[in-house]
Amino acid sequence: MNFIFRILIIGISSFYLSESFPWWSIIIVPFVLSIIIEDNFFSHFLSSFIGTGVAWLFLMLNIDFETQSILSNKIIPILEIKSVNILIISISIIGGIISGLSSITGLSLRNIFIKKKNKREYRF
């Protein structure tokens, strides 16, 4: 349940923060959520990657549709990419990786300052 909750929160916040703030604002929400919610590293990375990747995919498709691919067609020759689709997918993957790494950083910070309690195993 926490996994889906984190995907929704990170995805929605990444979509709306990217419209009005700089691109690096996507690292704030996964970082804070990782400090608050405890889970394993892979789960945090994956939820941040999926949430931000999908949000940026829709954001880039929206920008590309609104500008009628004018900006994309100017960026493609600079980066030497073959099509607009590859550009949009690669931007989404880069955003997802950045968000996932910020989530891992937040969880690592949590593990440094908050010590885990030893769980006793009762054996009969």
Side-chain angles (χ1 to χ4, degrees), residues 9-40:
I9 295 295
I10 291 169
I12 292 169
S13 64
S14 294
F15 185 81
Y16 288 112
L17 285 177
S18 297
E19 288 181 347
S20 56
F21 292 108
W23 68 268
W24 51 265
S25 63
I26 62 166
I27 67 170
I28 297 169
V29 175
F31 184 81
V32 171
L33 277 178
S34 296
I35 291 175
I36 295 171
I37 300 172
E38 183 180 5
D39 207 354
N40 60 11

Side-chain angles (χ1 to χ4, degrees), residues 40-65:
N40 60 11
F41 286 100
F42 184 70
S43 174
H44 273 282
F45 180 83
L46 195 60
S47 64
S48 298
F49 181 83
I50 292 171
T52 304
V54 170
W56 272 28
L57 180 71
F58 286 123
L59 187 66
M60 293 302 125
L61 287 173
N62 187 20
I63 290 172
D64 194 53
F65 180 72

